[in-house]
Amino acid sequence: MKKIVTPITDEAINEIAVGDMVYLSGYIYTGRDAVLPKVLELIESDGLEKAGINLQGSVIFHTAVSPAGVGPTSSNKLEIEGSIPALSKAGVKLHLGKGELSSKTIEELDKYNSVYAVIPPVTALLESKTLERKLVAFPELGMEALHLLKVDSFPAIIAAAHGKSIY
Amino acid sequence: MTMKQQEMIINKIKDTLVRAGSTFREDQKEAYRQAIKKETLPRAKWVLETILEDAEVAEKNRSPLCDDTGIPHVFLEVGPNKSVTGADLEAIRLGVAEGLRELPGRPMGIKGDDKQRLDQSGGLDEDSAGVLPAPILIKQVEEDVLRAHVLMLGGGPAIRGITHRVFHKHSVSVVTDEIVKRASEAVALLGCSPCALSVGIGRSQFEASSLMIEAMVYSNFAVQSDLEKKITDKVNESNVGPLGLKGATSVLATFMKVGPQRASGIRVVCMRPSCCFEPRMASVEL
Ligand code: SF4
């Protein structure tokens, strides 16, 4: 098992290959279809810093954050997959979710040296590996707001990297 | 019904719902252990081990197996000398609400009138108990018992499940081949595999869906009929694998209930690709 720690560097991404089983630790953002288009608007309007968001070397986990815990939603939903190129360009190094992505998205990931990993929907296990959780932006979206989690060894598999896909 | 009796039913249903949402049954754990032994692809093996580890942590902490905690479905068995009153049903409803708060269930109930609930403009109910249970199914049984089964049915299998007729052409294989075809496509799209296929075959959409639930209620991963085994083996040939990442284990078992049929050219088949945590069910005698 490889270990990945945030913030993720370009060098670390270069050492990752499709099919690698990894443990992910550090701070990770959460967001899904409701909030990711809003984060894209912040990128466009140069509003990330003011909103307290730093995407350099970051991870975005496609999940809601509810009292039940966290777990991946399908990353190929229009708003989620559509956010991947712009977020990668803005510094996101790892997108974490589930399901197959299109070949176009895989190319875009490669262009910005970013990767996609899938994580099993193992909520109880993830809860036991979550050290902190904090609301960052868009509180009106409730469990779909942008959150930041501090995690220790989230299990994942690299599903798309360097133009290649596991599917 | 006395207050004490009502409280007893509420508490039993509450506890059963929490167990359903947080616990694998022994036959389910064993099915995973066997699948782990058989898998040769390291990442498929690893996914299965991670799911089993999740089940162990969830059981220990009585916390949700998955953050999609599901929609509660209650199935009642009623023996010859038992009865179910409106007060019993109300206590069951209250028990479900308490169970959802305790688990806790994901607060995903949509508020508002018909239109608002359709387009989600009514907003989310922040109370976990805002997720109302599906209509209760009642089955007459020979055993003299009043027993409740609580199932927590996730959204993924609801998206990929199909209830549709099959023209049987007087052949069992025509029906099972169609189930295999529908299931193979559904399992590939589900993502949260390995699945347990839940199948009901009846004379109407309602009957087929009820039989599908009954198949889940009486399910046992270790007890498979020839037909169930044949469907499982055929769908596993698709090589979808755990989490859709390829491998031998796309389906762990099939649970099928064939009901009465009518003289006609069709059978109505309800096929639910139950995800890696389902049937997410626990039972209690009331
Ligand atoms: S399909 Fe099952 S495992 Fe997947 S998110 Fe829904 S409840 Fe969880």
Side-chain angles (χ1 to χ4, degrees), chain A residues 72 98 121, chain B residues 66-70 152-157 190-192 275-278 280:
Chain A
K98 70 175 186 201
Chain B
C66 179
D67 75 319
D68 172 1
T69 42
M152 302 297 281
L153 302 190
L190 180 69
C192 300
C275 65
C276 56
F277 294 125
E278 290 190 1
R280 269 203 300 199

Short mmCIF file of all heavy atoms in Angstrom, two decimals, chain A residues 72 98 121, chain B residues 66-70 152-157 190-192 275-278 280, ligand 1:
data_model
loop_
_atom_site.label_atom_id
_atom_site.label_comp_id
_atom_site.label_asym_id
_atom_site.label_seq_id
_atom_site.Cartn_x
_atom_site.Cartn_y
_atom_site.Cartn_z
N PRO A 72 -18.69 7.74 -0.73
CA PRO A 72 -18.61 8.30 -2.09
C PRO A 72 -19.94 8.29 -2.82
O PRO A 72 -20.69 7.32 -2.73
CB PRO A 72 -17.61 7.37 -2.79
CG PRO A 72 -17.78 6.06 -2.08
CD PRO A 72 -18.06 6.41 -0.65
N LYS A 98 -16.47 7.51 -6.83
CA LYS A 98 -16.67 6.15 -7.35
C LYS A 98 -17.26 6.22 -8.75
O LYS A 98 -17.85 7.25 -9.13
CB LYS A 98 -17.56 5.34 -6.40
CG LYS A 98 -19.00 5.77 -6.36
CD LYS A 98 -19.84 4.83 -5.50
CE LYS A 98 -21.30 5.24 -5.64
NZ LYS A 98 -22.17 4.83 -4.59
N PRO A 121 -17.59 2.30 -0.31
CA PRO A 121 -18.56 3.07 0.50
C PRO A 121 -18.57 2.62 1.97
O PRO A 121 -19.61 2.27 2.52
CB PRO A 121 -19.89 2.75 -0.19
CG PRO A 121 -19.70 1.39 -0.75
CD PRO A 121 -18.24 1.27 -1.13
N CYS B 66 -23.14 2.32 5.77
CA CYS B 66 -22.95 3.21 4.63
C CYS B 66 -23.66 4.53 4.94
O CYS B 66 -24.68 4.53 5.65
CB CYS B 66 -23.55 2.57 3.38
SG CYS B 66 -23.39 3.63 1.93
N ASP B 67 -23.16 5.63 4.38
CA ASP B 67 -23.81 6.92 4.69
C ASP B 67 -25.16 7.05 3.99
O ASP B 67 -25.98 7.86 4.39
CB ASP B 67 -22.89 8.11 4.38
CG ASP B 67 -22.78 8.41 2.91
OD1 ASP B 67 -22.68 7.47 2.11
OD2 ASP B 67 -22.79 9.60 2.55
N ASP B 68 -25.40 6.28 2.93
CA ASP B 68 -26.78 6.17 2.42
C ASP B 68 -27.45 5.13 3.30
O ASP B 68 -27.34 3.92 3.06
CB ASP B 68 -26.78 5.73 0.95
CG ASP B 68 -28.20 5.44 0.46
OD1 ASP B 68 -29.15 5.60 1.25
OD2 ASP B 68 -28.35 5.04 -0.71
N THR B 69 -28.08 5.60 4.36
CA THR B 69 -28.60 4.66 5.37
C THR B 69 -29.88 3.97 4.91
O THR B 69 -30.34 3.04 5.55
CB THR B 69 -28.83 5.40 6.70
OG1 THR B 69 -29.41 6.67 6.43
CG2 THR B 69 -27.52 5.61 7.43
N GLY B 70 -30.45 4.43 3.80
CA GLY B 70 -31.56 3.68 3.20
C GLY B 70 -32.95 4.11 3.66
O GLY B 70 -33.11 4.90 4.58
N MET B 152 -33.29 -1.89 5.34
CA MET B 152 -32.89 -0.51 5.03
C MET B 152 -32.38 -0.50 3.59
O MET B 152 -31.26 -0.91 3.31
CB MET B 152 -31.81 -0.05 6.00
CG MET B 152 -32.22 -0.11 7.47
SD MET B 152 -33.59 1.00 7.84
CE MET B 152 -32.74 2.56 7.94
N LEU B 153 -33.24 -0.03 2.67
CA LEU B 153 -32.93 -0.19 1.25
C LEU B 153 -32.30 1.06 0.64
O LEU B 153 -32.89 2.15 0.63
CB LEU B 153 -34.21 -0.59 0.49
CG LEU B 153 -34.87 -1.88 0.99
CD1 LEU B 153 -35.96 -2.32 0.04
CD2 LEU B 153 -33.86 -3.01 1.15
N GLY B 154 -31.09 0.89 0.11
CA GLY B 154 -30.28 2.00 -0.40
C GLY B 154 -30.74 2.52 -1.76
O GLY B 154 -31.51 1.88 -2.48
N GLY B 155 -30.21 3.68 -2.11
CA GLY B 155 -30.63 4.37 -3.33
C GLY B 155 -30.04 3.78 -4.61
O GLY B 155 -30.70 3.77 -5.65
N GLY B 156 -28.79 3.28 -4.54
CA GLY B 156 -28.15 2.74 -5.74
C GLY B 156 -28.96 1.62 -6.38
O GLY B 156 -29.29 1.68 -7.58
N PRO B 157 -29.33 0.60 -5.59
CA PRO B 157 -30.13 -0.49 -6.18
C PRO B 157 -31.50 -0.01 -6.67
O PRO B 157 -32.05 -0.60 -7.60
CB PRO B 157 -30.29 -1.47 -5.00
CG PRO B 157 -29.14 -1.18 -4.11
CD PRO B 157 -28.89 0.29 -4.22
N LEU B 190 -23.96 -0.30 -11.19
CA LEU B 190 -24.22 0.03 -9.77
C LEU B 190 -23.01 0.65 -9.06
O LEU B 190 -23.16 1.62 -8.33
CB LEU B 190 -24.68 -1.23 -9.02
CG LEU B 190 -24.97 -1.02 -7.54
CD1 LEU B 190 -26.22 -0.17 -7.35
CD2 LEU B 190 -25.13 -2.34 -6.81
N GLY B 191 -21.83 0.07 -9.30
CA GLY B 191 -20.65 0.60 -8.61
C GLY B 191 -20.44 -0.05 -7.25
O GLY B 191 -19.34 -0.43 -6.91
N CYS B 192 -21.49 -0.17 -6.44
CA CYS B 192 -21.34 -0.71 -5.08
C CYS B 192 -21.49 -2.22 -5.07
O CYS B 192 -22.33 -2.77 -4.34
CB CYS B 192 -22.33 -0.05 -4.15
SG CYS B 192 -22.12 1.73 -4.04
N CYS B 275 -27.07 -3.98 -3.09
CA CYS B 275 -25.65 -3.61 -3.07
C CYS B 275 -24.87 -4.38 -2.03
O CYS B 275 -25.41 -5.22 -1.32
CB CYS B 275 -25.53 -2.11 -2.83
SG CYS B 275 -26.11 -1.63 -1.20
N CYS B 276 -23.59 -4.04 -1.89
CA CYS B 276 -22.67 -4.81 -1.06
C CYS B 276 -23.07 -4.91 0.42
O CYS B 276 -22.56 -5.76 1.13
CB CYS B 276 -21.26 -4.23 -1.19
SG CYS B 276 -21.15 -2.47 -0.79
N PHE B 277 -23.95 -4.02 0.89
CA PHE B 277 -24.35 -4.09 2.30
C PHE B 277 -25.72 -4.73 2.50
O PHE B 277 -26.11 -5.03 3.62
CB PHE B 277 -24.38 -2.69 2.92
CG PHE B 277 -23.01 -2.06 3.00
CD1 PHE B 277 -22.76 -0.83 2.43
CD2 PHE B 277 -21.98 -2.73 3.62
CE1 PHE B 277 -21.50 -0.27 2.48
CE2 PHE B 277 -20.70 -2.17 3.69
CZ PHE B 277 -20.47 -0.93 3.11
N GLU B 278 -26.48 -4.86 1.45
CA GLU B 278 -27.84 -5.39 1.59
C GLU B 278 -27.81 -6.91 1.70
O GLU B 278 -26.84 -7.51 1.29
CB GLU B 278 -28.69 -4.91 0.41
CG GLU B 278 -28.94 -3.41 0.50
CD GLU B 278 -29.98 -2.92 -0.50
OE1 GLU B 278 -30.53 -3.73 -1.26
OE2 GLU B 278 -30.24 -1.71 -0.52
N ARG B 280 -29.25 -5.64 4.45
CA ARG B 280 -29.35 -4.71 5.60
C ARG B 280 -30.65 -4.94 6.35
O ARG B 280 -31.53 -4.05 6.41
CB ARG B 280 -29.27 -3.26 5.11
CG ARG B 280 -27.84 -2.75 5.10
CD ARG B 280 -27.72 -1.28 5.16
NE ARG B 280 -28.35 -0.59 4.07
CZ ARG B 280 -28.08 0.66 3.72
NH1 ARG B 280 -27.20 1.35 4.39
NH2 ARG B 280 -28.70 1.22 2.72
S1 SF4 C 1 -25.79 1.49 -3.16
FE1 SF4 C 1 -25.51 0.61 -1.13
S2 SF4 C 1 -23.33 0.75 -0.70
FE2 SF4 C 1 -23.79 2.12 -2.43
S3 SF4 C 1 -24.13 4.12 -1.51
FE3 SF4 C 1 -26.15 3.12 -1.68
S4 SF4 C 1 -26.48 2.02 0.25
FE4 SF4 C 1 -24.31 2.57 0.13
#
